[in-house]
Amino acid sequence: MWSRDTISSLFWAAVGIGICGGGYELGLGNLHNPGSGFMFFGVGVIMIGLSFSILAQAVRQKAIAGEMKTAWVGTSLKKIVAVLAALFIYAYLLTPLGFIPATILLLIFLFKVVEPQRWSWAILGAVASTLVAYGVFQLWLKCQLPSGILGS
């Protein structure tokens, strides 16, 4: 009998293969001059790798007959709603506030609500994570992030 993990991992591996094929058709280019399909192909390869790791884990673990496992066991509906609301608010405030302030506020909220941390760790983690993301996307990859209240 096929477990849900086996079926879903094969499905997502097939989706990853399709994404790789689409990226290949768009043209890969090379590492220094990537084509329009380079990122799609890379995402597809990552999806395939993750799918196969889940498949390997599902094959190793034999489910107990009759036992239903669900991803929702132990989760709080209040936390789910709070996270979804926070993400919608983040999307709304990202342009007016800018990437750095909006992301720091979002991460502090998530660090305090999802898995409550001490304030010092929540603030430090939010600032450090935001600065690393800013460094990678704005400074290294030269992606344009909203500057908002911080100006250009």
Side-chain angles (χ1 to χ4, degrees):
M1 181 174 200
W2 292 43
S3 71
R4 290 180 181 171
D5 283 343
T6 303
I7 294 168
S8 67
S9 66
L10 292 174
F11 171 79
W12 289 111
V15 171
I17 290 169
I19 291 172
C20 282
Y24 184 78
E25 287 179 8
L26 286 173
L28 299 179
N30 59 42
L31 191 58
H32 298 291
N33 188 16
S36 28
F38 185 78
M39 185 67 80
F40 291 109
F41 188 82
V43 167
V45 168
I46 291 170
M47 284 180 68
I48 293 167
L50 292 173
S51 297
F52 284 141
S53 71
I54 292 172
L55 178 64
Q57 186 179 20
V59 168
R60 279 187 296 214
Q61 295 177 349
K62 294 185 180 185
I64 300 171
E67 182 179 332
M68 294 289 289
K69 293 185 179 180
T70 179
W72 300 102
V73 172
T75 57
S76 167
L77 184 59
K78 290 179 185 178
K79 286 184 181 181
I80 294 170
V81 171
V83 169
L84 287 174
L87 290 173
F88 279 108
I89 293 168
Y90 174 73
Y92 179 75
L93 294 177
L94 185 60
T95 301
L97 283 182
F99 176 78
I100 292 175
T103 305
I104 287 174
L105 291 173
L106 172 71
L107 290 177
I108 288 172
F109 176 79
L110 293 176
F111 288 151
K112 291 300 290 178
V113 169
V114 176
E115 284 295 326
Q117 306 289 322
R118 293 189 335 232
W119 277 106
S120 57
W121 283 110
I123 293 170
L124 180 66
V127 170
S129 299
T130 301
L131 292 179
V132 167
Y134 181 82
V136 167
F137 290 106
Q138 181 77 29
L139 304 177
W140 183 38
L141 296 175
K142 307 287 189 224
C143 296
Q144 186 176 358
L145 297 173
S147 57
I149 61 175
L150 297 179
S152 356

